[in-house]
Amino acid sequence: QVQLVESGGGLVQAGGSLRLSCAASGSAFSFNTMGWYRQAPGKQRELVASMTTGGNTNYADSVKGRFTISRDITKKTVVLQMNSLKPEDTAVYYCNAVQFPLLGGNIYWGQGTQVTVSS
């Protein structure tokens, strides 16, 4: 049973920073991609940032230059450093992990952590 446990959300003023962490259970090398999605009220869940085992990253245009994703494969953690936060970054942030296709290709989600940016 794979579990993703997030931490680090909270309330911050515009221009501030927050650091989100996600720790995964299960085999260290079973996830091809780990990353973060977010969902604001009334909006669809969207990709924020992701990183493959090979180190390739993908960022939403809205966070490029402000957010940085990092990953420790052996510790099964993924971290999202968020700087220069804006009110429009307010959302529930979800950790995401995708297994390698040969291992089943299952997709896993964390429970979500609230990020609120005040103006």
Side-chain angles (χ1 to χ4, degrees):
Q1 184 76 12
V2 174
Q3 286 189 320
L4 303 177
V5 179
E6 301 131 334
S7 61
L11 173 65
V12 65
Q13 287 189 330
S17 299
L18 282 175
R19 182 180 174 93
L20 304 183
S21 297
C22 174
S25 63
S27 173
F29 300 100
S30 65
F31 304 122
N32 181 24
T33 303
M34 292 188 74
W36 293 90
Y37 284 69
R38 68 186 180 187
Q39 188 167 18
K43 295 187 176 181
Q44 289 189 332
R45 191 173 296 190
E46 63 176 359
L47 172 71
V48 177
S50 64
M51 177 179 278
T52 67
T53 302
N56 294 318
T57 58
N58 188 23
Y59 290 94
D61 288 341
S62 60
V63 307
K64 285 180 180 177
R66 300 188 297 122
F67 291 10
T68 303
I69 189 169
S70 59
R71 184 178 169 187
D72 187 320
I73 303 297
T74 58
K75 293 182 179 179
K76 300 174 287 183
T77 59
V78 61
V79 172
L80 185 68
Q81 178 65 43
M82 305 185 294
N83 299 327
S84 302
L85 282 160
K86 304 176 181 180
E88 51 263 43
D89 294 317
T90 296
V92 178
Y93 284 69
Y94 296 91
C95 181
N96 167 271
V98 182
Q99 276 184 328
F100 284 99
L102 287 178
L103 297 177
N106 295 309
I107 300 172
Y108 299 96
W109 296 95
Q111 79 282 1
T113 185
Q114 178 70 46
V115 171
T116 303
V117 184
S118 63
S119 57

